[in-house]
Amino acid sequence: MLEARNVRVVFGGFQALDGASVRLPAGFVTGIIGPNGAGKSTLFGVLAGAVETASGEVLLEGRSVARHGPAWRARHGLTRTFQLSRELAALSVLENVLLARPKAPGEGVFSALFSRSAMRAAEEVAIEKARNLLARVDLWRLANAPAGALSGGQKKLLELCRALMLDPRIVLLDEPSAGVNPTRISEITEFIRTLQQEGMSFGMVEHNMDMIRSLCDHVYVLAEGRVLTEGRFDDVVNNPQVASAYLGSQP
Ligand SMILES: Nc1ncnc2c1ncn2[C@@H]1O[C@H](COP(=O)(O)OP(=O)(O)OP(=O)(O)O)[C@@H](O)[C@H]1O
Ligand SMILES: [Mg+2]
């Protein structure tokens, strides 16, 4: 579904990724773990098209997408979650979800081509879609609340709903449990599992190993910009090299 081959990323002389390769197959939640600073978020940035590579390739459904940016990739089924920005926190939950969708007719160069009624119809379709998504995560009752007032877990669910407005086939989740009350993490886990069962694919960076264990069939361990090892979660965590990487020492 989505693949990075031998990716190198250099930030002003520092090699954040040093020949990393990962494959995220369709229908699975693929885990990416590793110590702080290993390059996990950078790798997601590369996959999404937001971080420039010094070398290497990204393939989306077998096709090289190097020259396409995040917006193109989003239109072709690949999206990722973003933390709510301060500006968005002031808007309502529903507005946040509506703003996540691709430009509707009427906003932009095509506006002259669309009638008012066509615009209104598109808006109604979008609202219905947003309503369905928010209802699934029990946020529709809070549709008019400011997004900034939500709990950490509800914000993560809202971020996921924003990504789902784009009808993705694969979603990249960078630390979906971060800032979430531990008792609420299972709600996020279950929503991801349900979406996976419906056929959606995921890449997931997480420090919460319970979440990785329960969702991921295949896990990559990144350390110092490279894939240290990969495999089933239980095999990977029992690898002494992985423990060493987390301790910051060389095996
Ligand atoms: N835009 C940037 N400019 C310069 N250095 C960067 C930039 N983004 C990341 N880095 C550096 O690249 C390295 C990898 O960062 P990255 O955020 O990918 O790590 P990570 O594995 O996601 O870590 P964490 O688990 O803490 O989120 C770090 O040393 C970081 O300081
Ligand atoms: Mg990170």
mmCIF file of all heavy atoms in Angstrom, residues 65-100:
data_model
loop_
_atom_site.group_PDB
_atom_site.id
_atom_site.type_symbol
_atom_site.label_atom_id
_atom_site.label_comp_id
_atom_site.label_asym_id
_atom_site.label_seq_id
_atom_site.Cartn_x
_atom_site.Cartn_y
_atom_site.Cartn_z
ATOM 1 N N VAL A 65 5.868 8.453 -5.685
ATOM 2 C CA VAL A 65 5.127 9.704 -5.474
ATOM 3 C C VAL A 65 6.051 10.836 -5.046
ATOM 4 O O VAL A 65 5.597 11.856 -4.518
ATOM 5 C CB VAL A 65 3.990 9.519 -4.438
ATOM 6 C CG1 VAL A 65 2.909 8.604 -5.000
ATOM 7 C CG2 VAL A 65 4.508 8.970 -3.109
ATOM 8 N N ALA A 66 7.348 10.651 -5.283
ATOM 9 C CA ALA A 66 8.345 11.613 -4.806
ATOM 10 C C ALA A 66 7.997 13.049 -5.188
ATOM 11 O O ALA A 66 8.175 13.967 -4.397
ATOM 12 C CB ALA A 66 9.718 11.246 -5.357
ATOM 13 N N ARG A 67 7.487 13.231 -6.408
ATOM 14 C CA ARG A 67 7.284 14.622 -6.836
ATOM 15 C C ARG A 67 5.930 15.187 -6.403
ATOM 16 O O ARG A 67 5.595 16.316 -6.737
ATOM 17 C CB ARG A 67 7.479 14.726 -8.351
ATOM 18 C CG ARG A 67 6.546 13.885 -9.122
ATOM 19 C CD ARG A 67 7.080 13.504 -10.496
ATOM 20 N NE ARG A 67 6.157 12.572 -11.113
ATOM 21 C CZ ARG A 67 5.037 12.940 -11.699
ATOM 22 N NH1 ARG A 67 4.738 14.209 -11.811
ATOM 23 N NH2 ARG A 67 4.232 12.029 -12.201
ATOM 24 N N HIS A 68 5.165 14.389 -5.658
ATOM 25 C CA HIS A 68 3.844 14.870 -5.221
ATOM 26 C C HIS A 68 3.844 15.232 -3.741
ATOM 27 O O HIS A 68 4.352 14.489 -2.914
ATOM 28 C CB HIS A 68 2.781 13.811 -5.473
ATOM 29 C CG HIS A 68 2.610 13.473 -6.920
ATOM 30 N ND1 HIS A 68 2.205 14.398 -7.848
ATOM 31 C CD2 HIS A 68 2.810 12.320 -7.593
ATOM 32 C CE1 HIS A 68 2.147 13.818 -9.044
ATOM 33 N NE2 HIS A 68 2.521 12.569 -8.914
ATOM 34 N N GLY A 69 3.251 16.359 -3.425
ATOM 35 C CA GLY A 69 3.198 16.841 -2.041
ATOM 36 C C GLY A 69 2.035 16.257 -1.257
ATOM 37 O O GLY A 69 1.298 15.416 -1.761
ATOM 38 N N PRO A 70 1.881 16.724 -0.017
ATOM 39 C CA PRO A 70 0.858 16.193 0.879
ATOM 40 C C PRO A 70 -0.570 16.291 0.327
ATOM 41 O O PRO A 70 -1.363 15.369 0.515
ATOM 42 C CB PRO A 70 0.982 17.061 2.136
ATOM 43 C CG PRO A 70 2.333 17.652 2.073
ATOM 44 C CD PRO A 70 2.709 17.748 0.635
ATOM 45 N N ALA A 71 -0.893 17.386 -0.359
ATOM 46 C CA ALA A 71 -2.273 17.556 -0.836
ATOM 47 C C ALA A 71 -2.591 16.511 -1.905
ATOM 48 O O ALA A 71 -3.654 15.883 -1.889
ATOM 49 C CB ALA A 71 -2.468 18.965 -1.386
ATOM 50 N N TRP A 72 -1.644 16.294 -2.816
ATOM 51 C CA TRP A 72 -1.847 15.280 -3.849
ATOM 52 C C TRP A 72 -1.993 13.900 -3.214
ATOM 53 O O TRP A 72 -2.888 13.128 -3.553
ATOM 54 C CB TRP A 72 -0.669 15.294 -4.838
ATOM 55 C CG TRP A 72 -0.859 14.401 -6.031
ATOM 56 C CD1 TRP A 72 -1.336 14.763 -7.260
ATOM 57 C CD2 TRP A 72 -0.575 12.988 -6.110
ATOM 58 N NE1 TRP A 72 -1.373 13.658 -8.097
ATOM 59 C CE2 TRP A 72 -0.912 12.567 -7.416
ATOM 60 C CE3 TRP A 72 -0.079 12.048 -5.193
ATOM 61 C CZ2 TRP A 72 -0.762 11.243 -7.836
ATOM 62 C CZ3 TRP A 72 0.058 10.727 -5.606
ATOM 63 C CH2 TRP A 72 -0.275 10.342 -6.920
ATOM 64 N N ARG A 73 -1.093 13.610 -2.267
ATOM 65 C CA ARG A 73 -1.138 12.284 -1.624
ATOM 66 C C ARG A 73 -2.456 12.100 -0.876
ATOM 67 O O ARG A 73 -3.020 11.012 -0.857
ATOM 68 C CB ARG A 73 0.068 12.096 -0.701
ATOM 69 C CG ARG A 73 1.370 12.048 -1.508
ATOM 70 C CD ARG A 73 2.598 11.741 -0.672
ATOM 71 N NE ARG A 73 3.801 12.179 -1.386
ATOM 72 C CZ ARG A 73 5.041 11.938 -1.002
ATOM 73 N NH1 ARG A 73 5.272 11.243 0.103
ATOM 74 N NH2 ARG A 73 6.063 12.384 -1.710
ATOM 75 N N ALA A 74 -2.950 13.186 -0.252
ATOM 76 C CA ALA A 74 -4.232 13.096 0.466
ATOM 77 C C ALA A 74 -5.364 12.797 -0.516
ATOM 78 O O ALA A 74 -6.260 12.007 -0.230
ATOM 79 C CB ALA A 74 -4.508 14.384 1.229
ATOM 80 N N ARG A 75 -5.292 13.402 -1.699
ATOM 81 C CA ARG A 75 -6.332 13.133 -2.701
ATOM 82 C C ARG A 75 -6.239 11.700 -3.224
ATOM 83 O O ARG A 75 -7.191 11.176 -3.781
ATOM 84 C CB ARG A 75 -6.202 14.096 -3.888
ATOM 85 C CG ARG A 75 -6.713 15.499 -3.608
ATOM 86 C CD ARG A 75 -6.969 16.266 -4.906
ATOM 87 N NE ARG A 75 -5.783 16.367 -5.748
ATOM 88 C CZ ARG A 75 -4.804 17.255 -5.590
ATOM 89 N NH1 ARG A 75 -4.875 18.136 -4.608
ATOM 90 N NH2 ARG A 75 -3.769 17.271 -6.394
ATOM 91 N N HIS A 76 -5.073 11.086 -3.045
ATOM 92 C CA HIS A 76 -4.889 9.717 -3.507
ATOM 93 C C HIS A 76 -4.881 8.709 -2.366
ATOM 94 O O HIS A 76 -4.243 7.661 -2.439
ATOM 95 C CB HIS A 76 -3.630 9.619 -4.371
ATOM 96 C CG HIS A 76 -3.802 10.311 -5.686
ATOM 97 N ND1 HIS A 76 -3.721 11.689 -5.803
ATOM 98 C CD2 HIS A 76 -4.127 9.845 -6.913
ATOM 99 C CE1 HIS A 76 -3.960 12.030 -7.060
ATOM 100 N NE2 HIS A 76 -4.214 10.929 -7.753
ATOM 101 N N GLY A 77 -5.553 9.059 -1.277
ATOM 102 C CA GLY A 77 -5.836 8.052 -0.252
ATOM 103 C C GLY A 77 -4.925 8.021 0.948
ATOM 104 O O GLY A 77 -5.110 7.195 1.841
ATOM 105 N N LEU A 78 -3.918 8.911 0.997
ATOM 106 C CA LEU A 78 -2.976 8.881 2.113
ATOM 107 C C LEU A 78 -3.129 10.148 2.943
ATOM 108 O O LEU A 78 -2.993 11.259 2.418
ATOM 109 C CB LEU A 78 -1.547 8.798 1.568
ATOM 110 C CG LEU A 78 -0.389 9.144 2.509
ATOM 111 C CD1 LEU A 78 -0.330 8.173 3.668
ATOM 112 C CD2 LEU A 78 0.930 9.117 1.749
ATOM 113 N N THR A 79 -3.416 9.982 4.218
ATOM 114 C CA THR A 79 -3.468 11.173 5.052
ATOM 115 C C THR A 79 -2.903 10.860 6.428
ATOM 116 O O THR A 79 -2.594 9.726 6.750
ATOM 117 C CB THR A 79 -4.889 11.755 5.123
ATOM 118 O OG1 THR A 79 -4.851 13.016 5.779
ATOM 119 C CG2 THR A 79 -5.825 10.846 5.880
ATOM 120 N N ARG A 80 -2.731 11.905 7.218
ATOM 121 C CA ARG A 80 -2.239 11.691 8.574
ATOM 122 C C ARG A 80 -2.964 12.629 9.510
ATOM 123 O O ARG A 80 -3.599 13.590 9.082
ATOM 124 C CB ARG A 80 -0.734 11.921 8.644
ATOM 125 C CG ARG A 80 -0.320 13.299 8.212
ATOM 126 C CD ARG A 80 1.154 13.462 8.465
ATOM 127 N NE ARG A 80 1.647 14.705 7.918
ATOM 128 C CZ ARG A 80 2.787 15.261 8.318
ATOM 129 N NH1 ARG A 80 3.518 14.677 9.234
ATOM 130 N NH2 ARG A 80 3.185 16.391 7.779
ATOM 131 N N THR A 81 -2.863 12.304 10.787
ATOM 132 C CA THR A 81 -3.535 13.157 11.764
ATOM 133 C C THR A 81 -2.604 14.292 12.161
ATOM 134 O O THR A 81 -1.384 14.153 12.152
ATOM 135 C CB THR A 81 -3.925 12.348 13.025
ATOM 136 O OG1 THR A 81 -2.779 11.680 13.521
ATOM 137 C CG2 THR A 81 -5.005 11.338 12.702
ATOM 138 N N PHE A 82 -3.214 15.422 12.469
ATOM 139 C CA PHE A 82 -2.483 16.602 12.922
ATOM 140 C C PHE A 82 -3.020 17.015 14.273
ATOM 141 O O PHE A 82 -4.221 17.008 14.489
ATOM 142 C CB PHE A 82 -2.699 17.774 11.962
ATOM 143 C CG PHE A 82 -1.879 17.685 10.733
ATOM 144 C CD1 PHE A 82 -2.443 17.267 9.546
ATOM 145 C CD2 PHE A 82 -0.532 17.998 10.774
ATOM 146 C CE1 PHE A 82 -1.684 17.168 8.399
ATOM 147 C CE2 PHE A 82 0.237 17.903 9.628
ATOM 148 C CZ PHE A 82 -0.329 17.492 8.445
ATOM 149 N N GLN A 83 -2.122 17.446 15.140
ATOM 150 C CA GLN A 83 -2.587 18.014 16.396
ATOM 151 C C GLN A 83 -3.354 19.291 16.101
ATOM 152 O O GLN A 83 -2.984 20.046 15.203
ATOM 153 C CB GLN A 83 -1.400 18.347 17.280
ATOM 154 C CG GLN A 83 -0.978 17.180 18.141
ATOM 155 C CD GLN A 83 -0.068 17.637 19.249
ATOM 156 O OE1 GLN A 83 0.873 18.382 19.018
ATOM 157 N NE2 GLN A 83 -0.349 17.186 20.440
ATOM 158 N N LEU A 84 -4.417 19.512 16.858
ATOM 159 C CA LEU A 84 -5.211 20.718 16.658
ATOM 160 C C LEU A 84 -4.342 21.939 16.888
ATOM 161 O O LEU A 84 -3.680 22.048 17.909
ATOM 162 C CB LEU A 84 -6.360 20.756 17.676
ATOM 163 C CG LEU A 84 -7.458 19.731 17.522
ATOM 164 C CD1 LEU A 84 -8.478 19.923 18.627
ATOM 165 C CD2 LEU A 84 -8.106 19.859 16.157
ATOM 166 N N SER A 85 -4.383 22.841 15.952
ATOM 167 C CA SER A 85 -3.622 24.078 16.136
ATOM 168 C C SER A 85 -4.396 25.008 17.068
ATOM 169 O O SER A 85 -5.569 24.775 17.359
ATOM 170 C CB SER A 85 -3.426 24.754 14.791
ATOM 171 O OG SER A 85 -4.690 25.131 14.292
ATOM 172 N N ARG A 86 -3.743 26.059 17.521
ATOM 173 C CA ARG A 86 -4.404 26.968 18.443
ATOM 174 C C ARG A 86 -5.614 27.643 17.776
ATOM 175 O O ARG A 86 -6.656 27.821 18.384
ATOM 176 C CB ARG A 86 -3.417 28.021 18.939
ATOM 177 C CG ARG A 86 -3.945 28.676 20.188
ATOM 178 C CD ARG A 86 -2.978 29.621 20.890
ATOM 179 N NE ARG A 86 -1.579 29.373 20.675
ATOM 180 C CZ ARG A 86 -0.672 30.355 20.692
ATOM 181 N NH1 ARG A 86 -1.042 31.591 20.867
ATOM 182 N NH2 ARG A 86 0.606 30.081 20.538
ATOM 183 N N GLU A 87 -5.474 27.979 16.496
ATOM 184 C CA GLU A 87 -6.593 28.638 15.802
ATOM 185 C C GLU A 87 -7.798 27.699 15.731
ATOM 186 O O GLU A 87 -8.928 28.104 15.949
ATOM 187 C CB GLU A 87 -6.218 29.026 14.362
ATOM 188 C CG GLU A 87 -5.012 29.919 14.190
ATOM 189 C CD GLU A 87 -3.700 29.159 14.290
ATOM 190 O OE1 GLU A 87 -3.388 28.437 13.330
ATOM 191 O OE2 GLU A 87 -3.013 29.269 15.307
ATOM 192 N N LEU A 88 -7.527 26.431 15.427
ATOM 193 C CA LEU A 88 -8.637 25.485 15.290
ATOM 194 C C LEU A 88 -9.300 25.196 16.630
ATOM 195 O O LEU A 88 -10.482 24.891 16.690
ATOM 196 C CB LEU A 88 -8.160 24.185 14.650
ATOM 197 C CG LEU A 88 -7.820 24.285 13.164
ATOM 198 C CD1 LEU A 88 -7.294 22.949 12.659
ATOM 199 C CD2 LEU A 88 -9.035 24.705 12.345
ATOM 200 N N ALA A 89 -8.541 25.295 17.711
ATOM 201 C CA ALA A 89 -9.101 25.022 19.040
ATOM 202 C C ALA A 89 -10.241 25.979 19.372
ATOM 203 O O ALA A 89 -11.143 25.651 20.129
ATOM 204 C CB ALA A 89 -8.005 25.099 20.102
ATOM 205 N N ALA A 90 -10.206 27.175 18.769
ATOM 206 C CA ALA A 90 -11.238 28.168 19.042
ATOM 207 C C ALA A 90 -12.518 27.884 18.256
ATOM 208 O O ALA A 90 -13.595 28.360 18.608
ATOM 209 C CB ALA A 90 -10.724 29.564 18.703
ATOM 210 N N LEU A 91 -12.405 27.093 17.193
ATOM 211 C CA LEU A 91 -13.592 26.769 16.382
ATOM 212 C C LEU A 91 -14.326 25.575 16.993
ATOM 213 O O LEU A 91 -13.781 24.841 17.801
ATOM 214 C CB LEU A 91 -13.169 26.442 14.950
ATOM 215 C CG LEU A 91 -12.480 27.574 14.188
ATOM 216 C CD1 LEU A 91 -12.112 27.099 12.793
ATOM 217 C CD2 LEU A 91 -13.380 28.804 14.116
ATOM 218 N N SER A 92 -15.557 25.386 16.547
ATOM 219 C CA SER A 92 -16.343 24.290 17.111
ATOM 220 C C SER A 92 -15.849 22.945 16.571
ATOM 221 O O SER A 92 -15.138 22.878 15.570
ATOM 222 C CB SER A 92 -17.824 24.459 16.767
ATOM 223 O OG SER A 92 -18.051 24.102 15.420
ATOM 224 N N VAL A 93 -16.276 21.906 17.245
ATOM 225 C CA VAL A 93 -15.936 20.539 16.844
ATOM 226 C C VAL A 93 -16.397 20.297 15.402
ATOM 227 O O VAL A 93 -15.630 19.798 14.567
ATOM 228 C CB VAL A 93 -16.600 19.541 17.827
ATOM 229 C CG1 VAL A 93 -16.590 18.121 17.289
ATOM 230 C CG2 VAL A 93 -15.919 19.625 19.191
ATOM 231 N N LEU A 94 -17.635 20.673 15.099
ATOM 232 C CA LEU A 94 -18.166 20.461 13.744
ATOM 233 C C LEU A 94 -17.378 21.273 12.713
ATOM 234 O O LEU A 94 -17.028 20.757 11.646
ATOM 235 C CB LEU A 94 -19.650 20.830 13.700
ATOM 236 C CG LEU A 94 -20.310 20.727 12.324
ATOM 237 C CD1 LEU A 94 -20.213 19.304 11.765
ATOM 238 C CD2 LEU A 94 -21.779 21.153 12.394
ATOM 239 N N GLU A 95 -17.089 22.530 13.024
ATOM 240 C CA GLU A 95 -16.327 23.361 12.076
ATOM 241 C C GLU A 95 -14.966 22.739 11.787
ATOM 242 O O GLU A 95 -14.491 22.740 10.648
ATOM 243 C CB GLU A 95 -16.139 24.773 12.641
ATOM 244 C CG GLU A 95 -17.394 25.624 12.541
ATOM 245 C CD GLU A 95 -17.345 26.886 13.404
ATOM 246 O OE1 GLU A 95 -16.623 26.913 14.427
ATOM 247 O OE2 GLU A 95 -18.051 27.837 13.059
ATOM 248 N N ASN A 96 -14.341 22.183 12.812
ATOM 249 C CA ASN A 96 -13.051 21.535 12.616
ATOM 250 C C ASN A 96 -13.133 20.407 11.597
ATOM 251 O O ASN A 96 -12.268 20.272 10.738
ATOM 252 C CB ASN A 96 -12.536 20.965 13.946
ATOM 253 C CG ASN A 96 -11.599 21.920 14.637
ATOM 254 O OD1 ASN A 96 -10.415 21.929 14.354
ATOM 255 N ND2 ASN A 96 -12.131 22.749 15.517
ATOM 256 N N VAL A 97 -14.175 19.603 11.715
ATOM 257 C CA VAL A 97 -14.307 18.469 10.803
ATOM 258 C C VAL A 97 -14.634 18.964 9.399
ATOM 259 O O VAL A 97 -14.084 18.482 8.409
ATOM 260 C CB VAL A 97 -15.352 17.468 11.326
ATOM 261 C CG1 VAL A 97 -15.535 16.317 10.357
ATOM 262 C CG2 VAL A 97 -14.920 16.938 12.692
ATOM 263 N N LEU A 98 -15.503 19.970 9.307
ATOM 264 C CA LEU A 98 -15.873 20.494 7.988
ATOM 265 C C LEU A 98 -14.674 21.139 7.278
ATOM 266 O O LEU A 98 -14.521 21.018 6.056
ATOM 267 C CB LEU A 98 -17.009 21.512 8.120
ATOM 268 C CG LEU A 98 -18.367 20.907 8.501
ATOM 269 C CD1 LEU A 98 -19.388 22.014 8.744
ATOM 270 C CD2 LEU A 98 -18.861 19.943 7.428
ATOM 271 N N LEU A 99 -13.813 21.793 8.051
ATOM 272 C CA LEU A 99 -12.660 22.459 7.442
ATOM 273 C C LEU A 99 -11.610 21.472 6.942
ATOM 274 O O LEU A 99 -10.728 21.838 6.171
ATOM 275 C CB LEU A 99 -12.013 23.412 8.454
ATOM 276 C CG LEU A 99 -12.752 24.728 8.658
ATOM 277 C CD1 LEU A 99 -12.148 25.500 9.829
ATOM 278 C CD2 LEU A 99 -12.706 25.571 7.393
ATOM 279 N N ALA A 100 -11.696 20.230 7.399
ATOM 280 C CA ALA A 100 -10.677 19.245 7.018
ATOM 281 C C ALA A 100 -10.891 18.711 5.612
ATOM 282 O O ALA A 100 -9.986 18.163 5.008
ATOM 283 C CB ALA A 100 -10.697 18.080 8.015
#
